[in-house]
Amino acid sequence: MLNTWLEKKILDYTDVQKLKVDLLKLAIIPKEVAEKSQTLIFDGDGKHLLILSTNNYSNQLQKLLEQLGNKGYSHDVYYVGARGWEHAFKRYSQLELQEQKKRAAQSKKEHAAGGDALTIIKELFEKRMTLRAWDFIMEVVRLAYQSWASDLHFQAEKDGISVNVRIDGVLQHVITITHKDFLQYDAKLKFISGIKINVVQLPQDGRFTFDYTVDGKTRPIDVRLNTMPSLYGDDIVMRFLDMGETVKSFDSLGIRSMHYDIIKKALQEQNGMILVTGPTGSGKTTTLYAMLNHVNDGTKKIITLENPIEYQLPGIQQSQINEDEWYTYEEGLKAVLRHDPDIILVGETRSRQTAETVINAALTWHLVFTTLHTNSAVESVSRLLSMGVKPYLLAPGLRVICAQRLIRKVCPHCASRQDADYASKTEIDDTLQKLRNIDAKLVPERDGKVVAAVGCDQCNNTGYKGRTVAMEILSVTDGIKELIVDEEHDTTKIFAVAREQWFTTMREDAILKVIAGDTTMEEARRV
């Protein structure tokens, strides 16, 4: 209660001037209603309200009091003359200004992106004690997504919980929360993710969804959450999945024309296996979805087995693997083959049984896509043979192997071209000579300059914005098939045969992107 000094029920103008108005209480009666009835709420304590009125419209006043009573409010009414009422009514302008500021702040948060979103997280952190724990932690989650992060990390360290975001594959520190403060946020995140709050000694998997609204349009963002015990407490990592995001077109992946032609030819086949390999976070799913999008012309039945389903694909039957309920890739594949598919996607091939089932499906007039965790395309052949896949099945069933990594693209707003330093020039020259030894057509024209990452507001001062793919593609030709049938595990021999058919490595592909001005030598060396 702000006005404990009030004793009389009829107030004069000087009394009204001294009134302290609680804007939250004032907002209970809309401005238009207050103006017509000459009645407003200026203070209160919980469900008890202090009301100011001229009583010039007694019927409307009584109706208002009844409505407030029906909502559980009690009241004291104070009366005022016309001059005092006009002075009190001006407080609605103060309320409108406050609402405008709130809307502006909300709009700023909604439209914040990249570095601006991270700046707002830091600002909210400074005034976190004025916010409810739920509001603060959900704003951190939303703004982390708006910063273009793929993942949000809460890492328990000796001095506190380090909050980091992964943007374009690179971790960035944002804030540090004390262990004591984080206990309440940890509980909130576990609760909404559907996992046990009191379990800290075991890893747990959960998920939740939040609404992302901008310019009046709302779409759900799926969050996959994992907790893991560490030396100083729970570590939490969240992966953002935008279920409403449009699947990238095959043309937009940044694949060089030579590789594009090889993949496009394989996609036109009626059967065979297309394998995409690389470590976690290398963009395999994006590439596979783009391929499916390319072949999804409405005339073929396409079924996917995924864990998790990252994007919803119209016109495609998608099935979520659930190993806790014994629904594995092996069991799923058995069911898929009974559903008369033309094209099958198997999210991951981890066992000999899955690999053999996939190969058999590819040999029985199905086009099959799957992934494997290997370092290169050439190594994938050896890996499949080592898993126990029969050579006489693998050779005719395997069409193409794509191995890839994601590399950051330079920010188009601040990148600069400059002369290559000695080390970069030597590395580029050596790479181009190797390509020239294969075929001179593989060597592009260049001016001796390379791009450098500078940094600006558009890229959060990193010098990079977005990512592209560095790829190598092994087309399974007759020469490769002969090595498979002979159970050749020597990657050197496989590589030699592949070179005869214009095979280029991921590192060479990355350096060609450096020459094209898409990325830097520093990024190419990470491949």
Side-chain angles (χ1 to χ4, degrees):
M1 194 85 73
L2 300 177
N3 299 277
T4 54
W5 56 273
L6 286 172
E7 295 180 355
K8 55 186 180 180
K9 290 289 185 177
I10 299 176
L11 307 181
D12 57 31
Y13 181 72
T14 56
D15 293 327
V16 174
Q17 284 182 310
K18 292 190 292 182
L19 286 179
K20 295 180 180 179
V21 176
D22 184 336
L23 295 181
L24 290 176
K25 294 290 191 291
L26 182 68
I28 293 175
I29 297 179
K31 180 181 179 181
E32 297 77 13
V33 175
E35 187 173 21
K36 289 180 180 178
S37 63
Q38 291 189 351
T39 301
L40 60 79
I41 301 169
F42 66 91
D43 200 357
D45 184 11
K47 284 287 187 176
H48 186 73
L49 305 177
L50 303 189
I51 295 173
L52 188 69
S53 177
T54 63
N55 202 28
N56 289 336
Y57 303 93
S58 57
N59 290 336
Q60 291 187 35
L61 172 61
Q62 290 305 314
K63 185 178 179 180
L64 264 177
L65 295 179
E66 287 177 11
Q67 291 174 346
L68 292 171
N70 292 335
K71 294 179 181 179
Y73 290 107
S74 59
H75 61 267
D76 284 324
V77 181
Y78 295 82
Y79 298 99
V80 69
R83 187 183 176 203
W85 164 255
E86 289 176 2
H87 181 83
F89 185 71
K90 290 178 182 178
R91 293 301 183 97
Y92 272 100
S93 298
Q94 187 179 349
L95 178 63
E96 289 174 344
L97 181 61
Q98 184 185 73
E99 291 299 322
Q100 288 174 5
K101 289 180 179 179
K102 285 183 180 179
R103 288 193 294 271
Q106 185 61 33
S107 177
K108 181 181 177 182
K109 284 191 286 187
E110 286 182 0
H111 290 84
D116 290 341
L118 298 182
T119 298
I120 294 177
I121 290 177
K122 294 172 183 177
E123 292 172 354
L124 286 175
F125 178 67
E126 293 301 321
K127 56 181 181 181
R128 66 193 180 281
M129 302 309 294
T130 66
L131 303 171
R132 294 187 305 166
W134 168 261
D135 292 334
F136 171 71
I137 199 61
M138 286 310 299
E139 284 300 328
V140 170
V141 171
R142 288 191 186 93
L143 289 163
Y145 169 75
Q146 290 173 220
S147 73
W148 311 316
S150 59
D151 305 84
L152 172 61
H153 294 227
F154 295 90
Q155 183 172 318
E157 299 177 352
K158 183 178 180 180
D159 297 325
I161 307 298
S162 178
V163 181
N164 308 304
V165 292
R166 186 178 295 279
I167 300 175
D168 291 337
V170 177
L171 276 180
Q172 296 183 33
H173 177 72
V174 186
I175 55 176
T176 299
I177 302 173
T178 66
H179 285 283
K180 181 180 178 180
D181 285 348
F182 187 68
L183 289 175
Q184 56 186 332
Y185 307 137
D186 179 78
K188 300 291 184 185
L189 293 172
K190 286 181 175 179
F191 176 76
I192 62 173
S193 300
I195 60 179
K196 296 178 180 178
I197 295 175
N198 61 339
V199 173
V200 295
Q201 71 275 21
L202 294 172
Q204 297 189 82
D205 286 305
R207 61 185 296 178
F208 66 91
T209 300
F210 69 88
D211 288 335
Y212 170 56
T213 302
V214 63
D215 294 331
K217 297 180 181 178
T218 301
R219 65 176 188 263
I221 307 300
D222 198 30
V223 182
R224 307 297 169 94
L225 178 146
N226 178 269
T227 69
M228 185 178 73
S230 70
L231 181 62
Y232 297 107
D234 261 353
D235 278 4
I236 296 178
V237 174
M238 301 181 200
R239 167 64 58 90
F240 297 117
L241 299 174
D242 186 348
M243 304 303 287
E245 185 175 337
T246 304
V247 176
K248 289 185 178 181
S249 68
F250 194 54
D251 299 339
S252 68
L253 294 180
I255 300 174
R256 286 193 297 121
S257 59
M258 183 181 74
H259 289 161
Y260 178 81
D261 292 341
I262 295 172
I263 297 174
K264 193 172 181 181
K265 182 180 178 182
L267 294 176
Q268 292 170 347
E269 299 289 346
Q270 298 297 310
N271 69 311
M273 182 170 81
I274 296 176
L275 185 63
V276 180
T277 79
T280 301
S282 60
K284 298 188 297 295
T285 300
T286 300
T287 298
L288 286 171
Y289 277 11
M291 290 180 180
L292 286 182
N293 200 36
H294 185 82
V295 298
N296 185 21
D297 59 5
T299 66
K300 304 177 183 71
K301 181 163 185 176
I302 304 174
I303 304 178
T304 72
L305 296 174
E306 305 173 62
N307 187 21
I309 296 173
E310 295 193 13
Y311 301 105
Q312 296 175 3
L313 304 173
I316 293 177
Q317 181 179 331
Q318 295 174 271
S319 183
Q320 170 81 49
I321 294 300
N322 186 352
E323 294 184 349
D324 290 340
E325 298 297 329
W326 303 102
Y327 182 43
T328 62
Y329 282 111
E330 291 81 6
E331 291 300 317
L333 265 172
K334 293 176 185 177
V336 166
L337 293 172
R338 299 187 192 106
H339 277 247
D340 189 30
D342 297 294
I343 298 171
I344 304 168
L345 181 146
V346 180
E348 188 176 356
T349 297
R350 292 182 290 188
S351 67
R352 179 185 61 81
Q353 184 181 352
T354 304
E356 287 191 341
T357 307
V358 166
I359 286 292
N360 279 313
L363 291 170
T364 54
W365 218 246
H366 301 94
L367 187 60
V368 183
F369 302 89
T370 190
T371 70
L372 197 66
H373 288 284
T374 57
N375 292 324
S376 69
V378 170
E379 287 181 25
S380 300
V381 175
S382 177
R383 174 67 61 82
L384 288 168
L385 291 172
S386 298
M387 289 170 67
V389 179
K390 295 178 176 61
Y392 62 84
L393 295 177
L394 183 60
L398 190 57
R399 294 276 183 195
V400 165
I401 305 173
C402 308
Q404 64 180 64
R405 300 286 189 280
L406 291 177
I407 54 176
R408 292 183 293 174
K409 296 192 294 184
V410 290
C411 174
H413 303 283
C414 62
S416 67
R417 291 189 68 83
Q418 59 188 36
D419 292 331
D421 59 34
Y422 178 78
S424 297
K425 182 179 183 303
T426 301
E427 195 169 347
I428 292 172
D429 289 342
D430 288 347
T431 298
L432 294 181
Q433 185 56 51
K434 291 176 183 177
L435 296 178
R436 194 174 289 109
N437 292 339
I438 302 171
D439 194 299
K441 294 178 182 178
L442 295 174
V443 179
E445 294 183 3
R446 66 189 185 101
D447 59 6
K449 293 184 180 294
V450 294
V451 287
V454 178
C456 65
D457 292 340
Q458 295 289 328
C459 60
N460 198 23
N461 293 311
T462 63
Y464 298 95
K465 191 171 185 180
R467 290 189 287 180
T468 187
V469 65
M471 182 177 282
E472 61 186 36
I473 297 185
L474 179 63
S475 183
V476 183
T477 58
D478 290 340
I480 300 296
K481 290 178 181 179
E482 289 177 10
L483 293 174
I484 294 174
V485 171
D486 292 339
E487 296 189 57
E488 181 56 69
H489 288 253
D490 189 344
T491 56
T492 304
K493 292 182 180 179
I494 299 173
F495 179 78
V497 173
R499 276 300 217 191
E500 295 174 3
Q501 60 191 39
W502 288 24
F503 176 81
T504 56
T505 67
M506 281 183 284
R507 172 65 68 86
E508 290 166 345
D509 190 46
I511 288 179
L512 289 174
K513 285 180 164 58
V514 171
I515 295 171
D518 296 329
T519 191
T520 64
M521 279 301 299
E522 289 76 15
E523 283 295 295
R525 291 180 182 124
R526 293 175 58 224
V527 174

